[in-house]
Amino acid sequence: MEPKIQEVITDKEQMRQWSRTMRLHGKTVALVPTMGYLHKGHLSLVEEAHKLADVVVVSVYVNPGQFSPSEDLSTYPSDFNGDIEKLMNIPGGVDAVFHPHNLYDYSSNQDTIETPNVQNGIEGGVLSCLEERGLGHETWVRVERLEKGLCGKSRPVFFRGVATVVTKLFNIVEPDFAIFGKKDYQQFRIIQRMVRDLDMPIEVIGSEIVRDADGLALSSRNVYLSPEEREKALSISRSLLRAKSSFKMGETNCRELKNLVIQAIDDAGGEIDYAEVVETESLMAVEEITRPVVFCVAARFGKVRLIDNMEIHV
């Protein structure tokens, strides 16, 4: 099949009408939400979407709502033209790219979020123009218990921003399927729970982590690692593999497994945010592995915060 992108859509109503037209023609729709700066991990989600649905939509939108003022929104990497080229070269391409200017008016939320002053252009990264003036938006979606642990401890506004904008994307695109990478495991489970709780007619699919040949989980932020930091960051995936191997050899005590990972990352010069073994759906911490769990880790190397995880099946 020839590489293709049928349409690049920036308008919400046009996007909604596009999806509804597809449905009128009996086609199913899959959505792959992204923040752009695409890598092989994102492209694997698109490939998975092609297996599930007749047409595939990729959204490219850097969401200000999931960043606190102290985080790296203004420097988040962006290359929209490069993203389009990568999508065109996937077997089958994509049927539509949804690239909205802004999905939330933060003008009444200045105590919570600061929208960066960025050029409004196709290569400009975060597009900060507000579509509506006057009273800003003030409705948020929260998955209250699942958002509290893991990344939610150090990033208290993150999942509120994710759930709200993903809800808006779902309402605009109206997909049958939505595909998320399991590297952001907590995010994946939060979106699944949100869809269940709010009776959204969408199947949320978790796609496996894609790694570089050396084991580092692919991330848009990896570009900010120096060669030395990148080498040290391999301690995350390598220690998770050792923990999984230790479990297979009979170690079920989570404290012992966590100590193994924490020590390896400390020795490599990383700064641990968390290392937790949690139940796969509830994300509740467990002390002994007697049922399927996921070992989730977040750590900083230099200024770059990385997350990774490994599922352990019983």
Side-chain angles (χ1 to χ4, degrees), residues 261-286:
V261 170
I262 291 169
Q263 187 63 55
I265 294 173
D266 280 344
D267 289 347
E271 179 184 345
I272 288 281
D273 185 350
Y274 63 78
E276 296 288 347
V277 182
V278 299
E279 197 273 334
T280 54
E281 292 193 21
S282 72
L283 304 185
M284 296 289 289
V286 298

Side-chain angles (χ1 to χ4, degrees), residues 10 12 61-62 64 99-107 115-121 124-133 137:
T10 60
K12 293 183 287 188
Y61 177 67
V62 179
H99 185 48
H101 288 177
N102 198 65
L103 290 177
Y104 206 97
D105 182 345
Y106 297 98
S107 61
T115 305
N117 181 18
V118 182
Q119 291 294 321
N120 180 10
V126 181
L127 301 177
S128 59
C129 67
L130 298 178
E131 295 178 323
E132 302 174 21
R133 298 298 177 179
H137 296 165

Side-chain angles (χ1 to χ4, degrees), residues 251-271:
E251 180 60 77
T252 62
N253 184 279
C254 294
R255 178 176 292 181
E256 294 298 323
L257 297 175
K258 288 193 294 185
N259 286 342
L260 185 158
V261 170
I262 291 169
Q263 187 63 55
I265 294 173
D266 280 344
D267 289 347
E271 179 184 345

